[in-house]
Each structure stands twice: as structure tokens, then as C-alpha cells.
Amino acid sequence: MSLYDRIAGLSVTIESVARRRHVAATTSGFERTTTEYRLSGDGVVGRGEDVTYETADHDALAGTDPIDLEGEWTIDALSDRLDEIDLFHGTPPENETARNYRRWAVESAALDLALRQRGVTLGDRLRLDPDPVRFVVSTRLGDPPSTDRVEELLARDADLEFKLDPTPEWPEAAFETLRKTDAVRVLDLKGWYEGTEVDVEPDPELYRDVFAAFPAAVVEDPAFTPATSALVEPQADRLSFDYPIDGVESLESLPVEPGWCNVKPSRFGTLESLFETIAYCEREGIQLYGGGQFELASGRTAIQTLAALCYPDGPNDVAPRAFNDPDAEPPYPKSPLRPSDDAVGFEF
């Protein structure tokens, strides 16, 4: 029985649907807005977080009625029903990827509710025991680039590991300093992003420097262009993809067979697509780790839970929110994150 089959027939009673908006500053210098969907039934609440980046898409929910999902469902039947519902209430999102983000919020909330109505965890239902979750800290070097934040965090916790976003502006000294820390596990080249504030133009000199300075690190989302393909293709075993991955078909259509995949659940939209992709990667020998999207609420617990159950030892970009909160003060949580005996629902 597949992982999805173990939850597909799970029944859930929904008596009401509500939403809660979350807003917070981030260490990356922007204000994050998310919307949490809250499904209630049988005296408990299931939660799922819409991580759509465009604040306007969250603003557009003002004055709209929560979606009508009241009734008795199975997880699979509820997913089929969502195929017929416009979660954006007639106002198309600014970016089409947001459709999957909001779909994930509702489906994960329904799963959380179904589990809580039984007093069990996702691991109980999947018949998987959670393990401690290794996490990396994702941070940028700023403008102009500086390794100060990485060095400050390592001074407090020498065991921390990092996921960084190289840019052509990185000086040679930054590469040298970071290489000496031996703490960089993932480098995200963001070569597949288009029309966002974090786009990085494919630069063969940058790619060459990244591959040379960090020969054991995972390199995420390199672009395949006439200028970069010859550098990228021989590195397939340590390449990972994130931005273009929203299901099995997207993995199969990549220019290379990658050694890694960054699993960001919201990119998949449905629980079925998420678990199908995890199973595909396990069959094909593609190593996994979890990714985050500046979650402010239940979404962060969800990505940590999936990591605990399916890829606990990967370089998981699921660090506790303190590392993204400019107002947080040390001491910070340490890796790995330990399972809780009190977990219930979409927790570990």
C-alpha cells in the first residue's frame, strides 16, 4: 500500500471553515504574509498554511466567504471536490504557482483535522516512526555580500549547517571564508526562477566557483544554458531541483537525472502528488530533503513533520522560525529537532 493510499480513505468531518492571516518581518528584509486555513469539526481544528508570496493574493481574501466544505469526506473525495472550487474567489492569483500553494493549505488542513479527530499523528497513519530532523539554516549574505551572519551563528553553535544563495556579487574572500567553515551543505543558484526578486542570472563564472569551492555540497536549481550546461551536466549526482518540481512528471522532464530533490510540499498542491513524488524518488534513488518558504504558522510544523518521517537525515531547509525572525534572540534551537511524545495530527 502506498503512502497516499494509507491516508486517502481517512474520513474527516468538517463543520466550519475559517482563515487567519499571519504577518511578520524576516531576516531576509521583507515582510512575510501567509493565510492559515482552519477547518473545524468534532471539537478540534485542523490547520494548513497558504504560503503564497504575493501579499495582494492574501489581501484579495478580505470580504470573501470561506469555502463551503461542510460535511463528511474522505481525504481523497475532498481532494476531488477541490478540483471544482475556485480557491481564489474569481480573482486570479498574481502567479499561477499560488494555486498549488493554496490547494496545499486546504488539503493539509483537512489531513490535520482528520488525524486530530482520531487522536493520532501522520506517522501513526503512515506506519512510519519519526526520527530527529537535521536542519540547515538558510540565509543570504546581504548587499554588499558579507559572511558576518554565518560566522556569528557558528560562533554560537559550531555544529550549525547552512543553505546559501550564491550570487555573482560574492567576493573571492566570501568563498574562501565559507569553504573553511565546512558548514555549507546546499547552495541554491536559483537559475530556474523568473520574474521574482530572487532571480539569479546564469553566470558560468559563478557556477565554476561554486562547484570548485564546495566540492561536496548539494547544488540546487542550476540553469541549463549554452554557457552553463557543460559545467552543470557532469555534476548531476549532486544536483538538486526545487523551483520546477511540482510532481513526478516535472522530475522526469529535467535535463539530467539528479541525485537530489528538494521537497517543498506546497509546490505539489495535492497530498497525492506529494506522496507519489516521494515514492518515485525513493524508487529512483534520488535523495530527498525538505524545503521551507518562510512559513509563519502550521506550515512550518508540516514541513518538519514530513522531514521527520521521510528524509530526517537530509540537509533539511526547515529550521525553526527563530532563524528567520529578526527580533529573535539567542539561544537558538539546535539541530536535530526531536520528536515530541505529545504530538497529534500533522505533527511529529
Side-chain angles (χ1 to χ4, degrees), residues 110-336:
L111 177 58
D112 187 35
L113 178 60
L115 295 167
R116 289 178 184 279
Q117 287 175 341
R118 284 158 183 76
V120 300
T121 65
L122 179 59
D124 293 332
R125 189 70 187 188
L126 296 180
R127 298 173 217 155
L128 297 173
D129 292 326
D131 286 319
V133 177
R134 169 194 176 197
F135 68 80
V136 299
V137 175
S138 180
T139 189
R140 298 172 189 168
L141 299 194
D143 183 19
S146 166
T147 59
D148 288 352
R149 175 165 166 76
V150 171
E151 293 179 88
E152 289 168 3
L153 288 171
L154 285 173
R156 298 183 182 281
D157 182 355
D159 294 325
L160 275 181
E161 300 174 296
F162 294 86
K163 175 180 179 289
L164 304 177
D165 300 347
T167 68
E169 291 72 37
W170 275 21
E172 183 177 344
F175 282 96
E176 181 65 16
T177 296
L178 294 170
R179 184 186 65 79
K180 288 180 178 178
T181 68
D182 192 29
V184 180
R185 300 294 171 254
V186 183
L187 296 123
D188 186 357
L189 293 172
K190 297 192 179 298
W192 289 68
Y193 285 75
E194 295 181 0
T196 75
E197 294 183 0
V198 297
D199 292 7
V200 178
E201 287 294 319
D203 182 324
E205 184 174 348
L206 173 65
Y207 284 28
R208 190 176 293 110
D209 288 344
V210 166
F211 288 131
F214 306 99
V218 175
V219 178
E220 189 174 297
D221 279 355
F224 291 79
T225 71
T228 63
S229 289
L231 296 168
V232 172
E233 289 174 359
Q235 305 286 339
D237 285 350
R238 64 172 173 135
L239 297 185
S240 175
F241 293 88
D242 156 28
Y243 186 80
I245 304 305
D246 58 10
V248 171
E249 185 176 345
S250 60
L251 268 170
E252 293 177 327
S253 65
L254 289 171
V256 296
E257 295 181 7
W260 294 82
C261 179
N262 180 349
V263 178
K264 289 184 177 174
S266 58
R267 292 212 191 279
F268 299 87
T270 67
L271 290 159
E272 182 173 20
S273 179
L274 168 69
F275 286 118
E276 281 183 348
T277 305
I278 291 173
Y280 172 84
C281 289
E282 290 176 347
R283 289 196 305 271
E284 297 299 315
I286 300 173
Q287 299 182 78
L288 299 172
Y289 59 96
Q293 293 177 285
F294 294 94
E295 292 84 357
L296 303 179
S298 55
R300 193 171 299 252
T301 304
I303 62 175
Q304 293 169 346
T305 298
L306 287 165
L309 297 173
C310 299
Y311 30 87
D313 298 323
N316 293 294
D317 180 17
V318 301
R321 195 175 115 63
F323 290 101
N324 302 128
D325 182 355
D327 295 324
E329 296 182 355
Y332 298 117
K334 290 182 177 290
S335 179

